[in-house]
Amino acid sequence: MMCGGPSATMPATAETQEIANKVKSQLEEKENQKFDVFKAISFKRQLVAGTNFFIKVDVGEDKYVHLRVFEPLPHENKPLTLSSYQTNKEKHDELAYF
């Protein structure tokens, strides 16, 4: 796959949940709150020099957050980064590039 636009939205997988879990503490720190529920629902993937993952996460009580997570190339041996996020999302909100 070439670098370019994000993929279509796909249902979250075990890998998606793992990625969300790895950046959960970064989000909690930025938002200054703990999320009891943190369930990845769907995602898009964008290949850059590494991979951007856009992940819709159910945080309970009908609230959702959208995460943008950057995964460096494997040989760079760097951790996942929460690049950006959007709060106060609803279930039907489209997972768009941000």
Side-chain angles (χ1 to χ4, degrees), residues 54-72:
F54 298 87
I55 306 174
K56 179 184 289 194
V57 178
D58 178 352
V59 293
E61 297 175 7
D62 288 329
K63 292 189 175 73
Y64 293 79
V65 294
H66 290 183
L67 309 178
R68 185 170 101 211
V69 182
F70 179 68
E71 181 182 56

Side-chain angles (χ1 to χ4, degrees), residues 13-69:
T13 62
E15 181 198 26
T16 317
Q17 184 65 55
E18 203 176 303
I19 291 167
N21 291 346
K22 283 182 180 166
V23 298
K24 181 178 182 227
S25 61
Q26 293 177 49
L27 179 66
E28 289 177 336
E29 209 171 294
K30 289 175 195 287
E31 282 293 289
N32 201 18
Q33 73 175 101
K34 293 276 182 223
F35 297 104
D36 296 328
V37 178
F38 207 71
K39 182 174 166 40
I41 301 295
S42 57
F43 76 104
K44 289 183 176 192
R45 175 186 276 141
Q46 179 192 31
L47 290 180
V48 284
T51 308
N52 278 323
F53 289 93
F54 298 87
I55 306 174
K56 179 184 289 194
V57 178
D58 178 352
V59 293
E61 297 175 7
D62 288 329
K63 292 189 175 73
Y64 293 79
V65 294
H66 290 183
L67 309 178
R68 185 170 101 211
V69 182

